[in-house]
Amino acid sequence: SSGINAEYGDYEFDFTKDSSDICIAEDESTMENRSLFVRQDRINTNPTTDYSLRDYCAILFLRPKMQIFLREKKVKTRLIKKSLSKTLVDSYKPQGMDRAQKIVFGFTPETDNYGIMMYYRNRLIRSYVRVGYQTKPNNMGTGVVGIIECDYLTPTHNKQDFDNNKQYRSTLFALAQKLNDYWNEKCGDLDHAPDELVREIVPDQLWVQCENPRCLKWRKVPAHIAAEDLPEKWFCKDNKDLMYASCDIPMEVDELEQDQEPYIKTFKKRYKHALLNVV
């Protein structure tokens, strides 16, 4: 393949926009005809993972255990569950399954990168799917990310979607309800996130990966350390938490990976109580 768009005669990929990235090329013809090559639910959204290979690789794995290099520069992979603020855990029990699936909800400071992240056996299948309030013509649901591992669904052959069957549609319906519940819990019935909440959108925890290729463990750093204070290359020996300051020490147990009861939805209780008082 020549890498040239046959219809417009332009290159499909942009290697000049960022010397460390490979991006999908954008020009007047592609922007004007965006609806022709972007899936219907993406027309009004623009997550960076849709056009930046580096951003896509950074969240490709739910639990990254490797190093990824793109154009001779290391990709800073992320523990996406640990990049969220105001985190709460919910659950969804698919029909016919013995156990409920965990859903982690939280806020992200990123402008366009929000919605539901759907993984399958640790690999990203669908990113930033807008559901529930996020599909409405207002700001409700803006900034909320939900993360679920859908090992019970069937990915398509190209690993970019799931088979559009009843189980998949039921999952999206449930996720929409769960996302709405989370928004109501944090923002009430407001059509935007409160200013005080927006000011406090920083990750609940800061985790960093050891650069030692024989280690690559993720470590939670003490709360008083900010991300900008970390060196470009960080190793376990740099950890201020001496209990986990060696590559020989097993990785700390992550509470978000353990079984948890869904959070108590106080908004629903308050809403029902208010209705009873009105009656």
Side-chain angles (χ1 to χ4, degrees):
S1 175
S2 64
I4 296 179
N5 186 314
E7 183 173 356
Y8 299 110
D10 301 318
Y11 284 102
E12 295 178 338
F13 299 109
D14 186 345
F15 293 86
T16 61
K17 182 177 181 179
D18 185 336
S19 61
S20 64
D21 201 357
I22 300 174
C23 300
I24 293 178
E26 290 186 357
D27 56 27
E28 292 183 4
S29 62
T30 56
M31 294 308 292
E32 290 175 0
N33 295 277
R34 181 175 170 80
S35 61
L36 298 179
F37 60 90
V38 175
R39 53 189 300 158
Q40 195 67 28
D41 61 355
R42 287 298 213 210
I43 292 176
N44 297 317
T45 66
N46 197 33
T48 59
T49 50
D50 280 7
Y51 58 83
S52 167
L53 181 58
R54 180 166 291 273
D55 283 5
Y56 178 73
C57 289
I59 57 170
L60 179 58
F61 299 105
L62 184 59
R63 294 171 290 274
K65 299 177 181 179
M66 65 177 68
Q67 291 179 315
I68 301 174
F69 288 85
L70 178 62
R71 302 188 71 179
E72 300 184 352
K73 184 176 180 181
K74 184 176 180 290
V75 174
K76 287 190 175 182
T77 51
R78 295 163 51 196
L79 279 177
I80 190 166
K81 286 182 181 179
K82 299 303 184 182
S83 67
L84 304 179
S85 177
K86 318 295 181 189
T87 305
L88 290 176
V89 174
D90 207 335
S91 65
Y92 164 61
K93 190 174 185 297
Q95 187 175 5
M97 298 295 294
D98 293 332
R99 56 182 299 176
Q101 306 300 306
K102 185 186 307 177
I103 314 167
V104 176
F105 285 106
F107 278 91
T108 175
E110 299 182 23
T111 305
D112 296 311
N113 296 345
Y114 63 90
I116 299 294
M117 309 294 290
M118 305 179 74
Y119 287 82
Y120 176 82
R121 296 182 180 177
N122 197 44
R123 187 203 188 281
L124 181 65
I125 302 297
R126 293 207 61 192
S127 64
Y128 304 118
V129 183
R130 304 287 170 87
V131 298
Y133 289 154
Q134 295 175 337
T135 63
K136 306 300 181 183
N138 55 35
N139 291 319
M140 294 183 76
T142 299
V144 176
V145 171
I147 303 166
I148 182 171
E149 200 159 11
C150 305
D151 292 353
Y152 59 93
L153 295 178
T154 304
T156 56
H157 70 282
N158 62 2
K159 301 294 190 293
Q160 297 299 304
D161 208 340
F162 291 100
D163 284 351
N164 188 13
N165 52 31
K166 182 180 179 181
Q167 187 79 288
Y168 174 65
R169 293 190 293 271
S170 297
T171 298
L172 288 182
F173 180 79
L175 289 170
Q177 292 182 311
K178 303 287 186 181
L179 183 140
N180 291 354
D181 288 342
Y182 175 81
W183 177 268
N184 292 337
E185 193 68 28
K186 292 299 182 181
C187 305
D189 54 2
L190 296 176
D191 63 359
H192 63 279
D195 292 339
E196 60 271 19
L197 186 148
V198 173
R199 287 194 297 270
E200 296 172 357
I201 294 181
V202 293
D204 292 338
Q205 300 176 356
L206 179 59
W207 288 66
V208 60
Q209 188 177 32
C210 177
E211 289 280 344
N212 182 352
R214 295 186 178 181
C215 178
L216 300 179
K217 296 183 181 70
W218 288 86
R219 302 296 191 188
K220 181 171 69 174
V221 299
H224 66 275
I225 298 177
E228 53 268 23
D229 296 331
L230 297 174
E232 184 68 23
K233 290 189 175 184
W234 188 94
F235 298 88
C236 288
K237 63 181 179 58
D238 299 321
N239 199 350
K240 301 301 181 183
D241 183 352
L242 300 182
M243 289 184 62
Y244 298 96
S246 169
C247 294
D248 297 327
I249 300 174
M251 199 165 86
E252 184 176 356
V253 176
D254 178 7
E255 63 269 21
L256 289 181
E257 295 295 335
Q258 297 177 311
D259 291 334
Q260 291 187 36
E261 290 295 319
Y263 71 94
I264 298 174
K265 295 172 182 176
T266 59
F267 176 83
K268 284 188 173 181
K269 290 185 177 181
R270 295 196 305 270
Y271 184 72
K272 289 179 181 178
H273 182 70
L275 286 178
L276 290 174
N277 288 339
V278 170
V279 174

